[in-house]
Amino acid sequence: MDSINEDYILSHISPEPEHLQRLYRHTHLTHLYPRMCSGHLQGRLLSMLVSMIRPRRVLELGTFTGYSALCLAETLPEGGEVHTVELDDEMEEELEALFASSPGGDRVKLHIGDAMQVIPTLDEDWDLVYIDANKRDYTAYLDLLLPRLRPGSFIIADNTLWDGKVFDTAANHDPQTLGLDAFNTFVASHPRLSSVILPLRDGLTLIRVD
């Protein structure tokens, strides 16, 4: 998406809440790889999907600076919770302070650790899962999660086009690209999953569990 089209789109969708504007700017000023932050367009989509699906238990893999977690929590129904898993333990204090001071942050529960180790410890059935953690482990995450996903639940997977690298794995054979390509193939062929890939930012796959 070129910058002119993106500017038009951002000016014709629901505005970015002020606390998320501040968080987005803070992320770009103080963190490496700020592109990992969801941002206005993707954040409004996540919030819209939650308002449509009405999940009570949401799991996010990959918190980063907390932007997407707050978007997921924004339109939760009464009693809903977002459990978010972040690998980097140096982010714990910053994230806890963010959630304590942000609208909807009281509905977010932070877990620090490797998602592959944390997922089995969470005794929950999930209505919605947002996957945005280690790209090489996407398929392994899904293997762990499918037993805890009832029919009619949803998965959102980020970065599934990976700057177009997945289109040519012969030329791009790094573990992240190969992991995402394997995930895309697994989802497309799985009998319990219906999916669509949206060419939004770096690719966003919407998956329904049948």
Side-chain angles (χ1 to χ4, degrees):
M1 185 188 306
D2 63 56
S3 60
I4 296 176
N5 288 339
E6 184 173 3
D7 289 344
Y8 181 88
I9 290 169
L10 295 180
S11 67
H12 288 80
I13 64 174
S14 298
E16 185 179 33
E18 289 186 12
H19 68 285
L20 293 178
Q21 291 181 28
R22 292 192 298 270
L23 176 56
Y24 188 77
R25 176 171 172 75
H26 173 77
T27 299
H28 278 71
L29 290 174
T30 62
H31 289 272
L32 294 174
Y33 311 114
R35 185 186 175 197
M36 291 166 55
C37 188
S38 293
H40 183 184
L41 176 57
Q42 189 164 326
R44 292 307 86 204
L45 177 60
L46 293 176
S47 177
M48 177 73 75
L49 289 171
V50 171
S51 69
M52 295 168 66
I53 297 168
R54 307 296 289 167
R56 294 186 61 82
R57 291 293 177 269
V58 178
L59 176 64
E60 176 184 54
L61 305 181
T63 316
F64 191 41
T65 58
Y67 190 107
S68 53
L70 290 175
C71 293
L72 292 166
E74 194 175 290
T75 55
L76 280 175
E78 186 70 27
E81 290 182 343
V82 174
H83 290 254
T84 185
V85 183
E86 172 55 40
L87 176 63
D88 185 357
D89 58 3
E90 293 185 359
M91 289 294 298
E92 183 171 11
E93 185 175 342
E94 178 178 333
L95 287 168
E96 291 286 12
L98 172 73
F99 297 140
S101 62
S102 300
D106 58 326
R107 297 190 287 270
V108 180
K109 297 186 180 301
L110 176 65
H111 305 269
I112 298 294
D114 187 327
M116 292 293 295
Q117 304 301 319
V118 174
I119 291 170
T121 72
L122 302 177
D123 187 21
E124 297 275 0
D125 290 333
W126 306 106
D127 304 307
L128 174 65
V129 176
Y130 179 51
I131 303 177
D132 190 17
N134 192 333
K135 312 310 168 189
R136 68 188 72 188
D137 288 335
Y138 270 32
T139 302
Y141 298 148
L142 196 51
D143 279 334
L144 286 176
L145 290 165
L146 277 174
R148 309 310 299 266
L149 292 167
R150 59 173 178 74
S153 56
F154 289 85
I155 303 160
I156 306 167
D158 199 12
N159 304 119
T160 50
L161 296 181
W162 204 232
D163 283 330
K165 291 180 180 180
V166 294
F167 304 154
D168 185 0
T169 55
N172 304 289
H173 46 266
D174 58 278
Q176 291 80 14
T177 300
L178 295 179
L180 287 166
D181 181 58
F183 173 80
N184 291 338
T185 300
F186 179 81
V187 169
S189 61
H190 197 287
R192 285 190 64 198
L193 304 177
S194 304
S195 64
V196 59
I197 299 177
L198 303 178
L200 174 68
R201 294 187 69 196
D202 204 17
L204 195 70
T205 301
L206 306 183
I207 305 164
R208 185 183 187 276
V209 180
D210 299 327

